[in-house]
Amino acid sequence: MAPKKKEEPKPAAAAPAPKPPEPERPKTPEFDPATVTLEFTPEQIEDFKDSFQLFDRTPANEMKITYAQCGDLIRALGQNPTNTEIMNVLGKPKPEDMQTKMLDFDQFLPMLQHICKAKDRGTYEDFVEGLRVFDKEGNGTVMGAELRHVLATLGEKMNEGEVEQLMQNQEDANGCINYEAFVKYIMAT
Amino acid sequence: MGCGVTKSNQFHKNSGKAVTSIKAAILIQRWYRQYVARTEMRRKYTWHIFQSIEYSGEQAQIKLYNFLGYLMDNFTPTSNERNLISHIFRDNDVCRDTEWERFFCYKKIEVPEIYSGPHLTFPLTVEQAVGLVEAFRNKKQLHSRYVLQLLLETLKQIRMLPNINRISTCQSKEITICGDLHGQLEDLLLIFYKNDMPSMEKPYVFNGDFVDRGSDSIEILLILFSFLLVYPSEVHLNRGNHEDHIVNLRYGFTKEVLTKYKMHGKRILKLLQEIFSWLPLATVIDQKVLVLHGGISDTTDLSVLARVDRHSYVSALRPPKKRNQSSATSSIDIDMEGDILSHIKLTQRRTSLTYPKPLARDIFQNRSLQDFSGLIKGNMVDDVEIHRKRPSISIQGIIKPENETTQAASSESVNSENVNDEWKQILDLLWSDPMNQNGCVPNEVRGGGCYWGPDVTEDFLNRHNLQLIIRSHECKQDGYEFCHNRKVLTLFSASNYYDVGSNRGAYVKLGPDLVPYLIQYQASSMIRELTVRQSVGRTERSALKVLREQLFAHKSDLACAFKMVDRKNTGYVNVHNWASAVESVMHLGLPWRMLRYQLVTSKTSDGMINYHEWFNDLAIKGTNTDHINQSLLETLYRHRSTLETIFRIVDTDNSGFITMEDFRQTWKLLSVYLKMEITDDAISDLAVTIDRNQDGSIDIDEFMEAFRLTDKKSRLERGRSMFMGTATDLTKLEGDLNI
């Protein structure tokens, strides 16, 4: 009798197309604005209102923005969430809703608060650590081409135009980027 | 299994690295997206700053104009002030054909041997037109003799054109349409480079606003006119709101021509005034696409527009001149007294057709013409006499004529109705802007025309059986913008309009399928070198600088506003009060809270703003003006555009000089307009500073410069200072009277 070939749970890497696994999606609970306590000062809220108003494109200045604008506004206010996190606070809307559904300032605030409280914001060291992964020669530089490839294919992929804009004038004559300088540049908004 | 374990180890090592890579990627992507969002935010409010200031400048222009008009109606004939300004309301007297050639005779103008610019012979050839472009590219100037000749030929040509050009894309020709150029020759050259110059195969439509603000308005006009002469069926020009001599007084074109053509500038301007009034109003392509400069309103009717006598609207800002002038008794100028009655009616309507109101986000304050009635009656300037026959000025500021005059008015009223309807049509066509909401409301921001909504577009297109409106008039970051369900296309061809890097320009090509194909560009090689962040940063710094100047110019009012909040006179206000006080004075609708970090450098730790210190930071240093009263200086600074405009109006022979006496009268005028006291002593002080050679005349440019009212440095650099309302970068041809 042939030995029963036990179906071992084969690791994904052994599968025909070796693909790096997507990062574990943490089981994010459904976002419930009611559970968020606002900790902003009145001053801060006034500031946010100003910015909110700048994004408001409704004809009658109704103080509403589209779902699609929400992420941009949160980022403009100094946070740096991932797209996934944004979709989460928006309640995981359908793609077609992004341009049509609106939210007002009161709905926006808990979303912003939630993002503000998120840990793992990313420090200078985190960045440099991350980039060091691509530093093949351990000399403080990464290949521009490789970085472009990574940014366009991994994680929350960037498109060609975005990559180009980010990397504009960053590479030296050999196509290398000094990543510590690069990180300083990105963080210096 | 051994294999599996090894592989497993390998996998873990790989996957560990992979996971880190991914985390790194995500981190960078997050930060990048934040950077983009913040840059975009800065770009948004920078844009907002420039645009608010631009529109409030235009509004100020209209307000000034209305004020002058009101003065005209209320001064006695003998009053000095009236004489100063009456000529801008006077009909264009040189309008008979036989006199034209004599007045604008270029034949006696000799072209000296040392002249190195292009020589033109008529009829113009293609080679000459192309040669002209080359010459201008090489910074040559066309001699005034040829300028006059070219303009005369142009006038002969365009007089024959209809109000609405109707053209087609037959023979699979693509038509190229360009928007506002505003004297930016570099952009026109770039368009020609990318798209070839006009020719039989390359028809063009130029959609108005060729002049003002940029430094090469006259060159652009000459190029466009040459091609118009050479290819009359392929080149089409629409009139813009800046093809208007009154607007030109403020926005730099008048100054440019007078500077470049010292000897013959006046005649050139006069001839251009005529040409502008003969420019067609709109173009229709394949009976489906309407191209016009500003826009439409809910009353726009192409059949009315096709019929109007466009020539009688020399300036869109003033009511049309009356053809049949009924004579009356008094001794005033023929044109004025002849139709005082219809003029009264026109004045009544004029109050409703132009709306000088501040830009505000929600409610528009009412500061239109009627307010002047109060200040004329109350705050008196010695020489002003109110016409005794019109004592009662009602709340609406409508002048109530005496009984005997009303009867005569009624017979003329029918004519006036038509005239005014036509006038409104033209005003709307040249000045309107689209808006997102339905409806049609007066355009109080600009002071003329309407804001029209998508429903108006829909209705208009259906009524006229059209499918698209192409218009210009508004600067757009990408050079173009669709709205109203892609039924309206705004096209703007002056890149870097607000500042280097602020926006691209665009032109559109339409083939027989009438699908718009857009091409964008940006002049100046400097741009390509800058990264997005750098260029946004530059523009932002520029906008903030301008904003600071504006704030400084309103120092007194701001101080008042702060004091009202700071009752205990501590010298501090909190951010909220600061923001609302600033907005209440400036009326620009800007996000002040957001801007405070860039505008206010001094601040205490608990978030209060020390406003005295702030004023000191904003202060602009004057030169030798210590003996001049500070608040007067501030007034001068704030209203410098208006001041210069009034000077140029008063300078009837366009010489650049005004007499001492006129200078005094101008101040009186200004003091009434601004509702402030300017004493005779103060005026003498000013005069003394300027009229150094004591010859009784004042050089306008010198005056403006002496009080740092123009920034000399930016005059010499490339670029314009629209916020001064004058064209800068005028390389004065020192003593070159040959041109």
Side-chain angles (χ1 to χ4, degrees), chain A residues 109-168:
Chain A
L109 271 183
M111 297 181 185
L112 178 63
Q113 182 73 84
H114 182 83
I115 302 275
C116 283
K117 285 197 185 139
K119 292 160 258 176
D120 188 23
R121 308 275 283 286
T123 60
Y124 172 78
E125 285 74 25
D126 289 328
F127 257 117
V128 173
E129 266 311 300
L131 283 169
R132 192 161 288 139
V133 167
F134 305 105
D135 182 0
K136 299 263 160 50
E137 294 166 31
N139 59 359
T141 66
V142 295
M143 287 297 295
E146 179 159 9
L147 190 54
R148 283 167 197 267
H149 177 75
V150 164
L151 292 174
T153 53
L154 298 183
E156 294 189 336
K157 304 170 192 155
M158 286 162 60
N159 64 42
E160 203 180 306
E162 291 175 314
V163 174
E164 191 49 50
Q165 214 190 76
L166 174 63
M167 311 274 287
Q168 198 177 7

Side-chain angles (χ1 to χ4, degrees), chain A residues 47 53 80 121 127 185, chain B residues 29-31 361 533 593:
Chain A
D47 282 345
Q53 220 159 8
N80 57 339
R121 308 275 283 286
F127 257 117
Y185 162 74
Chain B
Q29 287 154 351
R30 271 167 47 187
W31 273 101
R361 280 198 193 166
R533 168 191 268 162
R593 289 190 69 105

Side-chain angles (χ1 to χ4, degrees), chain B residues 133-144:
Chain B
V133 175
E134 273 315 298
F136 291 151
R137 188 200 304 274
N138 295 321
K139 313 267 188 251
K140 300 267 188 231
Q141 190 170 309
L142 185 65
H143 196 278
S144 47

Side-chain angles (χ1 to χ4, degrees), chain B residues 227-284:
Chain B
F227 279 106
L228 178 76
L229 289 174
V230 177
Y231 294 114
S233 313
E234 281 76 30
V235 175
H236 309 276
L237 306 179
N238 289 340
R239 190 176 185 183
N241 62 308
H242 278 262
E243 273 69 59
D244 181 328
H245 71 285
I246 295 180
V247 176
N248 299 150
L249 278 171
R250 187 188 188 100
Y251 288 102
F253 181 51
T254 307
K255 189 169 173 181
E256 179 191 326
V257 173
L258 292 175
T259 307
K260 287 180 177 173
Y261 292 98
K262 290 190 189 335
M263 278 189 53
H264 302 283
K266 293 176 277 176
R267 278 197 274 173
I268 292 175
L269 284 171
K270 199 78 184 159
L271 190 41
L272 278 169
Q273 197 174 310
E274 192 69 7
I275 290 179
F276 285 164
S277 71
W278 276 112
L279 283 172
L281 299 172
T283 301
V284 176

Side-chain angles (χ1 to χ4, degrees), chain A residues 61, chain B residues 357-365 445 583 587-589:
Chain A
N61 286 331
Chain B
K357 287 183 182 169
L359 166 64
R361 280 198 193 166
D362 357 297
I363 309 202
F364 292 113
Q365 286 177 22
V445 171
E583 176 60 23
H587 297 295
L588 290 173

Side-chain angles (χ1 to χ4, degrees), chain A residues 8 11 13-14 20-23 43 46-47 50-51 53-55 57 59-61 72-73 75-83 120-122 126-127 130-131 133-134 136 147 150-151 154-158 162 165-166 168-169 182 185-189, chain B residues 1 4 7-8 11 15 17-39 41-45 48 361-362 436-438 481 528-534 574-576 590-597 607:
Chain A
E8 283 177 44
E22 295 291 336
E43 280 290 308
E46 285 298 306
D47 282 345
D50 237 21
S51 306
Q53 220 159 8
L54 199 61
F55 276 68
R57 304 201 77 193
N61 286 331
D72 290 332
L73 179 52
R75 288 172 169 133
L77 290 172
Q79 303 304 313
N80 57 339
T82 60
N83 287 342
D120 188 23
R121 308 275 283 286
D126 289 328
F127 257 117
L131 283 169
V133 167
F134 305 105
K136 299 263 160 50
L147 190 54
V150 164
L151 292 174
L154 298 183
E156 294 189 336
K157 304 170 192 155
M158 286 162 60
E162 291 175 314
Q165 214 190 76
L166 174 63
Q168 198 177 7
N169 291 351
F182 181 64
Y185 162 74
I186 296 186
M187 296 189 76
T189 314
Chain B
M1 291 271 200
K7 271 198 182 142
S8 176
F11 162 64
S15 77
K17 185 172 167 190
V19 166
T20 321
S21 305
I22 291 168
K23 280 180 86 167
I26 292 185
L27 202 55
I28 298 174
Q29 287 154 351
R30 271 167 47 187
W31 273 101
Y32 169 75
R33 293 193 165 113
Q34 186 209 61
Y35 151 70
V36 165
R38 289 181 78 128
T39 305
M41 169 89 107
R42 284 160 70 203
R43 206 208 297 258
K44 266 198 221 293
Y45 65 65
H48 202 159
R361 280 198 193 166
D362 357 297
N436 286 334
Q437 63 194 114
N438 282 336
E481 188 176 271
R528 274 175 252 120
E529 305 298 316
L530 295 176
T531 61
V532 168
R533 168 191 268 162
Q534 283 170 324
N574 65 30
V575 176
H576 175 82
L590 291 172
W592 297 106
R593 289 190 69 105
M594 213 185 321
L595 294 171
R596 76 179 183 276
Y597 300 105

